[in-house]
Amino acid sequence: MDDALKAPSRRAFLKGSAAAVAGSVAAGAAVAAEPDPLITELQDWASSLGEGVDETPYGLPIKYEDDVVRRNVPWLTADPISSINFTPIHALDGTITPQGCAFERHHSGAIELSKPDYRLMINGLVDQELVFTYADLERFPRENHVYFCECAANTGMEWAGAQLNGVQFTHGMIHNMEYTGVSLRTLLNEAGLGAAGDLKDKWVYVEGADASSNGRSIPMEKALDDVLVAFKANGEALRKEHGYPVRLVVPGWEGNMWVKWLRRIEVTDMAVESREETSKYTDVLADGIARKWTWVMDAKSVITSPSPQSPITHGPGPMVISGLAWSGHGQITRVDVSKDGGMTWETARLGRQGDTKALTRFYLDTEWDGEEMLLQARAMDETGYVQPTKAQLREVRGENSIYHNNCIQTWHVKTNGEAENVEVS
Amino acid sequence: MDDALKAPSRRAFLKGSAAAVAGSVAAGAAVAAEPDPLITELQDWASSLGEGVDETPYGLPIKYEDDVVRRNVPWLTADPISSINFTPIHALDGTITPQGCAFERHHSGAIELSKPDYRLMINGLVDQELVFTYADLERFPRENHVYFCECAANTGMEWAGAQLNGVQFTHGMIHNMEYTGVSLRTLLNEAGLGAAGDLKDKWVYVEGADASSNGRSIPMEKALDDVLVAFKANGEALRKEHGYPVRLVVPGWEGNMWVKWLRRIEVTDMAVESREETSKYTDVLADGIARKWTWVMDAKSVITSPSPQSPITHGPGPMVISGLAWSGHGQITRVDVSKDGGMTWETARLGRQGDTKALTRFYLDTEWDGEEMLLQARAMDETGYVQPTKAQLREVRGENSIYHNNCIQTWHVKTNGEAENVEVS
């Protein structure tokens, strides 16, 4: 139970100017004596039947939420076919991302691959090369874990300064789902790793069935750790755009490695140095030298409400500042929130602690004085790592980077409650 | 890490008759030398672009999964408008239920209630009667928890013997979602409970804005414990059919109490004895006396695969038997599986232990000898309670009941892999 909820928390705002209806009640008037038209209308619902059980085989959100959708930004990539849908994190709460609005990216379009047509090959330095059908995969022991999947380019536009006025666009290349699948370790052991000899310097090369193939090299140590060959997300089959029927889940590591429509796993004695790990998904530093093998997504957090797409719609008084934090190194241990651009900090309340390498929701239950704020959040993870400022990050990485921008984000909240993406020095 | 995965688990079935493709590989033939037409086809996907990023604002499952949907059974209730959609649990894995196919039931149809129109009243024995807008609710501290919601009538048809040939229909009146909301305790404290005096014998009466109002009495002890006034499920807004914009979440207690389109909470000094807690949602025993206030959903489990809608599609050899277990009293501590109708039992592997009063996934990683099975699962919870057989339950409750059938379910699996709902004596 949260301490914040145990504490006496009688709040005055319902009796104040913010809520006229509550105000009239608080003044001691019976509701019937001063009827609010909306309360009268509320009674009306009770006098007629609603719609029957929805016969739509698969349900969709109510019409009032038609603005809470994944957003495509075609100009972000060379061709719209290789673009990105962003999760509407400004409008979500909790930690789970529904598949219907979960971040997606594909490099050569989404392919339609049926279960009967599906095959997964394991080859290379194994005792026995194998080809699995989808039905074969279901016969191996399965696991379930909630993991976040973040694109290495999430927040990438912001290296150049405050660019995009919405947390869906600055931080929405991320989703968090309960994945079900077979451990990659189980399948590698099925093929047998004796032929690979010493596993310390071995790799697996994974590729998808789409035209990009999106081949990536994964060190054997990670492949034998927590990688999943997954076929369900949030209980149901993967959606087409999430790699139906089978994708790789590489917990804590950049989303580009979570190969969709997974068709081949090759055990190799060196990294392939594919396009996706050389010309892309490397980080050019100030001196022109590129960092590579920057797989892990470092600790990061962002305030989702209030934010540019989720302004404050009430006056001064009690409010909840909320957001998301995550770390590819494990659990989030603490999130601090600043209202003054990083000069002073308050520690936020963390939501239920879920799986490692999963999103953590944080809340700061606070009072707004009606003044401007420079809102920031700062995450810490179980390794002791502290999310850096943009200045700190630029000092180490320069300003050439696209990927792995995990710096502290700032929202300028104005007195009218609107928020804007800004950069503080 | 699961022990089952650490153990050497080299399996022979891929090299046997079950997988022709794998068989040819296992026989030492190069894949290129004996090309499988499907593998050739697999290469074809790599030679053309797939579809671009899905421009549908909100995504839906791939066409191949169009049989994995919520099912309406109109004849179950007096009028189709008051019917039920069942979760397709035979086709799901993990624990989360997507909202799009999650169990729903409403007694007077689903109403469309917008956030601006929404009001929640707290009245009765409180220091200050209050009316909250939706925006008011968002200003209170929020919590997130995954909880199961099970209709008291789930498995109710089975009191009379094996009736329905599908786990979606025998056990699908249940869903499991991550709910976000304000603790009811917080709102009651906001109104002030001083006027109620000694809280021990006090109740809250909750009702919805729909024509049924679905009024239910909840003892104050539960109301101050873990009940949530919720507005999100699995991160996003509640769907219309799940009570948009606000429903009650009463963890571990029968779904009928999870009032949708919540409009009023009254603090009272006695239970209301409404229609929904007298003529319905009580259990008539053999002697004609009805049990009442049977709120808690006792420990229960069911095998979802194999099951009548999810037959075994392979020959003898390795297989995974999987299902769901839950208890309204807290955590599931153990699930046993029997292949011989309850004569002998094996302990299943539990999936990740999530929140209390939430679904737990279990797996038995086993070998099928190709013979008939009488499959059963038996759940145990943290109180030491053991899920009863149907005979044990009937002995105590008679055969007049509709609600609270948590008995052990039996599937008769035939040699061809098909499964049927049967009753064992």
Side-chain angles (χ1 to χ4, degrees), chain A residues 25 65 91 110 129 143 232, chain B residues 5 25 51 65 91 129 232 244:
Chain A
V25 174
E65 297 290 315
E129 296 188 332
E143 298 177 49
K232 307 254 179 182
Chain B
L5 298 180
V25 174
E51 278 179 42
E65 297 291 313
E129 296 188 334
K232 307 254 179 181
Y244 184 92

Side-chain angles (χ1 to χ4, degrees), chain A residues 43-362:
Chain A
Q43 312 298 326
D44 287 347
W45 276 293
S47 63
S48 60
L49 291 173
E51 277 179 44
V53 163
D54 199 330
E55 306 250 0
T56 316
Y58 201 95
L60 281 167
I62 193 169
K63 62 185 180 188
Y64 304 125
E65 297 290 315
D66 62 5
D67 204 43
V68 183
V69 291
R70 53 190 185 184
R71 301 279 184 203
N72 183 8
V73 181
W75 54 260
L76 253 187
T77 53
D79 190 289
I81 219 167
S82 63
S83 199
I84 297 162
N85 266 327
F86 294 81
T87 303
I89 51 175
H90 62 288
L92 304 183
D93 205 324
T95 64
I96 293 289
T97 316
Q99 275 206 78
C101 61
F103 154 67
E104 62 177 282
R105 158 85 160 118
H106 17 93
H107 292 243
S108 301
I111 61 173
E112 267 180 11
L113 183 47
S114 75
K115 285 181 185 172
D117 283 353
Y118 180 77
R119 293 292 184 278
L120 173 62
M121 183 187 293
I122 296 189
N123 68 342
L125 302 174
V126 291
D127 301 335
Q128 181 78 65
E129 296 188 332
L130 292 173
V131 176
F132 302 87
T133 65
Y134 183 84
D136 289 340
L137 292 178
E138 288 192 308
R139 299 175 70 179
F140 288 92
R142 301 195 285 276
E143 298 177 49
N144 303 289
H145 302 277
V146 177
Y147 290 125
F148 76 81
C149 172
E150 184 186 17
C151 181
N154 199 22
T155 324
M157 296 290 291
E158 302 296 304
W159 279 109
Q163 301 286 313
L164 297 164
N165 218 14
V167 70
Q168 180 170 18
F169 304 107
T170 57
H171 290 75
M173 288 191 207
I174 191 167
H175 70 237
N176 192 62
M177 302 204 277
E178 184 194 39
Y179 280 100
T180 300
V182 176
S183 167
L184 175 56
R185 178 180 61 250
T186 300
L187 299 181
L188 289 171
N189 285 332
E190 180 71 20
L193 291 171
D198 186 355
L199 296 178
K200 265 191 193 140
D201 57 353
K202 298 302 181 299
W203 297 71
V204 298
Y205 183 70
V206 291
E207 64 176 22
D210 64 319
S212 81
S213 96
N214 201 76
R216 290 296 305 254
S217 307
I218 300 176
M220 183 61 78
E221 185 184 0
K222 180 70 173 178
L224 294 176
D225 181 13
D226 55 5
V227 177
L228 288 181
V229 173
F231 24 88
K232 307 254 179 182
N234 295 342
E236 67 181 350
L238 292 166
R239 301 285 171 88
K240 178 181 74 174
E241 56 271 34
H242 293 293
Y244 183 92
V246 177
R247 86 174 302 168
L248 207 65
V249 167
V250 190
W253 288 24
E254 59 190 18
N256 181 257
M257 308 180 82
W258 296 45
V259 172
K260 299 195 281 194
W261 315 289
L262 181 69
R263 75 162 175 192
R264 196 166 68 90
I265 297 161
E266 182 177 352
V267 177
T268 62
D269 57 8
M270 56 190 292
V272 166
E273 307 264 5
S274 74
R275 170 186 179 280
E276 301 291 335
E277 52 204 21
T278 50
S279 84
K280 302 290 174 193
Y281 299 98
T282 49
D283 313 314
V284 181
L285 301 175
D287 59 5
I289 303 290
R291 298 200 311 159
K292 70 174 182 176
W293 307 147
T294 52
W295 305 300
V296 182
M297 302 308 293
D298 286 324
K300 187 167 171 179
S301 66
V302 69
I303 291 169
T304 53
S305 175
S307 68
Q309 293 164 288
S310 179
I312 302 176
T313 57
H314 56 75
M319 73 172 294
V320 179
I321 296 170
S322 183
L324 294 166
W326 60 96
S327 169
H329 290 283
Q331 300 260 8
I332 289 293
T333 51
R334 181 173 139 187
V335 178
D336 292 337
V337 171
S338 175
K339 296 171 180 168
D340 53 16
M343 292 198 292
T344 63
W345 297 90
E346 296 171 75
T347 298
R349 173 171 63 88
L350 300 186
R352 56 187 268 274
Q353 191 61 279
D355 291 344
T356 183
K357 303 171 188 174
L359 293 190
T360 295
R361 170 66 57 180
F362 66 86

